Amino acid sequence: MTLLNVKCVLLLCAILSTSGLATAEELAQEVEPRNCEHSRQMYCGDLLEPKILTTYPDIFERKGNDLIIKNKTGTTRVFKNIEEQIDETKEGTSHWATDYHLLKYWPETNWALVSKSECYGECLTTLLIDLNSSTDPIAILGWPEFSPNNQLLAVYNLDVDAGWFFNGIKIYSIDTNRSLIEQASFWTDDKANWGVYQAEWKADNELVLQAEGWCKLEWVEHDTHCKAQLNLVNSKSSWKLY
């Protein structure tokens, strides 16, 4: 590097330092850590999967783009990640990438949860998989939590900002064939746009919900988020919010 080039580099650094532009190190420090708590775990498969693979190597395996899951019946399921393909012979024709990640495993009940991401990450589906059989995965619209007796399943989600996914909570019973039967649905529409960030079972007939949604306050120019704690209780065979 010539003396002139060194002077130019030093001058550029001086300009950047006095112009208010952040350095790469400063920008890295400003990036918020990923939220992988509660319902947001659906978006953290790349972080959650390695630990599950290490803990249960006899059940789950990753081979390149393939996620391999071994069922109790001796059969295997293979979820293949597909890279984006663009057909240059047809304008505007492309095949979006599809990514599968292992999110959670419940060893006591032998259920697993896998995320399926498409549309450049904007389209996300969670797949509940029964490892006791070779039945098809069950597509659910959120993050699942099993009741203490493992006979009920709460599925909840929060996406009030983007609105790509459903907001609210559903309750399912699990029959003897391990099929899901919907018992209650508190899925909100555009006029009552709120979702559930966290759902915790207090008993087999009660959940405590951390809900969040849009609210309008007189002293705020734009819509902002309101948060509330709700109780979802089964009384006389009917689920009600309080």
Side-chain angles (χ1 to χ4, degrees), residues 192-206:
N193 203 3
W194 61 271
V196 177
Y197 172 67
Q198 180 183 1
E200 181 180 358
W201 289 93
K202 290 299 183 182
D204 293 320
N205 67 331
E206 181 180 0

Side-chain angles (χ1 to χ4, degrees), residues 45-46 49 62 67 81 99-103 113-116:
D46 57 325
E49 179 180 292
R62 170 69 71 176
L67 173 62
N81 289 354
D99 290 322
Y100 293 95
H101 280 104
L102 184 60
L103 296 176
L113 188 68
V114 170
S115 65
K116 178 182 179 182

Side-chain angles (χ1 to χ4, degrees), residues 182-229:
E182 185 177 308
Q183 298 293 315
S185 176
F186 297 88
W187 234 237
T188 64
D189 57 23
D190 293 337
K191 295 181 180 179
N193 203 3
W194 61 271
V196 177
Y197 172 67
Q198 180 183 1
E200 181 180 358
W201 289 93
K202 290 299 183 182
D204 293 320
N205 67 331
E206 181 180 0
L207 295 105
V208 175
L209 313 179
Q210 303 302 326
E212 186 173 324
W214 293 110
C215 59
K216 291 185 178 180
L217 303 176
E218 294 180 358
W219 49 273
V220 177
E221 292 184 3
H222 305 288
D223 289 350
T224 186
H225 281 194
C226 282
K227 298 181 180 181
Q229 179 173 296

